[in-house]
Amino acid sequence: MTAIPLSLQALSAHAFAPFGDVLQKEDRVQQIINYGHTLKFADLASLDLGEQGGRPAVHIYHGLPVSLPLRIEVMERHPLGSQAFMPLQERPFVVIVAPAGAAPGPTDVRGFFSNGQQGINIHKGVWHHYQVTLGEPADYLVIDRAGPDGNFDEHRLTRPLVVEHVPWLGSASG
Amino acid sequence: MTAIPLSLQALSAHAFAPFGDVLQKEDRVQQIINYGHTLKFADLASLDLGEQGGRPAVHIYHGLPVSLPLRIEVMERHPLGSQAFMPLQERPFVVIVAPAGAAPGPTDVRGFFSNGQQGINIHKGVWHHYQVTLGEPADYLVIDRAGPDGNFDEHRLTRPLVVEHVPWLGSASG
């Protein structure tokens, strides 16, 4: 089946608001703490980790790079908690999301990219593609919910999408 | 008052265990997830963020560098929650801690350094120096407890300590 082209837009707090939070210093209020030695950008995300006996957990994900074109065929969601990703080497990465609620159709899917200094916090129930790394291997700090219940749904799109190029790598054919 | 020299040791999970967790991939079990595209190093820290109406919060700290020698005069603790720091540019940093419990004397204080790929999670009540950056400015992702109650104590050491050199910068006089 022919894949639908999906273009990416730069992450911003405003554009990403329907799906979650952007963890960044830009456009955030700074507090001066630690006797003047630290600028604190406080409370950057709405973490939602305690539902149904859940607890916050922190992981490192090491992403093994894939090549372009990137086919988007399956989306997933965590119905019981949020999930945050913060890049640990300032490497840009792709974020593929669709609104919370009913299983998404292909045209519900949106693509973003982080500039490498931006993390994301995907809100509870928001559909997303699993974390994809393009280019070099990359590590991410992940903050999500650990708990006894199932916190994972998966949905195969009725028609795949394809990302042909990303700003930091150029196009698949280039 | 003459400061007592404090030398630093490399962070390891074993050496740091009395004070908290080391967030690192090294020596951790890896799971393969995301259809083989991600290595997951799971559940790296005991986060303790819910006490007395607390909730998990995430911040970015931007550290403004100080010069060597580094004088250690005041220690602090968070009696109601843990506090994790993960470096966002793989820059080494200093960790100064003392055991939870009674206010520390100068000889209770221990110094460590992260290799830049290691984060730390300081356990509830463990005394520590505020986050210090040496060399270049550096960002850290911080995971701690937000809540309505006081979650901060400070203690001035009866005698200061001094860090004269760190492995990634050499000595103050060098």
Side-chain angles (χ1 to χ4, degrees), chain B residues 45-70:
Chain B
S46 295
L47 303 176
D48 197 348
L49 306 172
E51 194 169 314
Q52 293 186 26
R55 62 174 173 82
V58 61
H59 324 286
I60 295 174
Y61 280 18
H62 177 72
L64 304 170
V66 298
S67 302
L68 291 172
L70 169 65

Side-chain angles (χ1 to χ4, degrees), chain B residues 3 23 34 39 56 58 67-68 74-75 97 99 117 119 130 139 160-161:
Chain B
L23 283 67
N34 293 343
L39 305 181
V58 61
S67 302
L68 291 172
V74 174
M75 300 288 280
V97 286
Q117 299 185 332
Y130 65 76
D139 294 314
L161 298 153

Side-chain angles (χ1 to χ4, degrees), chain A residues 98-164:
Chain A
T107 58
D108 297 320
V109 176
R110 295 291 173 271
F112 295 90
F113 64 94
S114 158
N115 63 16
Q117 298 185 332
Q118 298 166 313
I120 54 161
N121 180 51
I122 298 169
H123 285 170
K124 182 173 71 176
V126 167
W127 292 95
H128 56 282
H129 195 271
Y130 66 76
Q131 183 69 13
V132 175
T133 296
L134 295 159
E136 294 178 273
D139 294 315
Y140 310 87
L141 197 74
V142 177
I143 308 166
D144 63 8
R145 173 193 177 277
D149 305 299
N151 185 22
F152 182 80
D153 297 325
E154 208 170 49
H155 168 69
R156 183 167 289 273
L157 295 170
T158 54
R159 199 174 152 190
L161 297 153
V162 63
V163 176
E164 297 278 3

Side-chain angles (χ1 to χ4, degrees), chain A residues 8 24 33 41:
Chain A
L8 307 181
Q24 64 180 358
I33 63 167
F41 300 83

Side-chain angles (χ1 to χ4, degrees), chain A residues 23-25 33-45 47 49 55-64 66 74 76 86-90 117 130-131 139 141 143-144 146 154 156, chain B residues 23-25 33-45 47 49 55-64 66 74 76 86-90 117 130-131 139 141 143-144 146 154 156:
Chain A
L23 284 67
Q24 64 180 358
K25 294 182 292 185
I33 63 167
N34 293 342
Y35 297 89
H37 297 304
T38 304
L39 306 181
K40 178 178 181 179
F41 300 83
D43 229 354
L44 300 178
L47 303 176
L49 307 171
R55 63 174 172 83
V58 61
H59 325 286
I60 295 174
Y61 280 18
H62 177 72
L64 304 170
V66 298
V74 173
E76 63 183 53
M86 191 73 198
L88 297 180
Q89 291 107 1
E90 296 196 329
Q117 298 185 332
Y130 66 76
Q131 183 69 13
D139 294 315
L141 197 74
I143 308 166
D144 63 8
E154 208 170 49
R156 183 167 289 273
Chain B
L23 283 67
Q24 63 181 358
K25 293 182 293 185
I33 62 168
N34 293 343
Y35 297 89
H37 297 304
T38 304
L39 305 181
K40 178 178 181 178
F41 300 83
D43 229 353
L44 300 179
L47 303 176
L49 306 172
R55 62 174 173 82
V58 61
H59 324 286
I60 295 174
Y61 280 18
H62 177 72
L64 304 170
V66 298
V74 174
E76 63 183 54
M86 191 73 198
L88 297 180
Q89 291 106 2
E90 295 196 330
Q117 299 185 332
Y130 65 76
Q131 182 70 13
D139 294 314
L141 197 74
I143 308 166
D144 64 9
E154 209 171 48
R156 183 167 289 273

Side-chain angles (χ1 to χ4, degrees), chain B residues 101-121:
Chain B
T107 58
D108 298 321
V109 176
R110 294 290 173 273
F112 295 91
F113 65 94
S114 158
N115 64 14
Q117 299 185 332
Q118 298 167 311
I120 53 162
N121 180 50

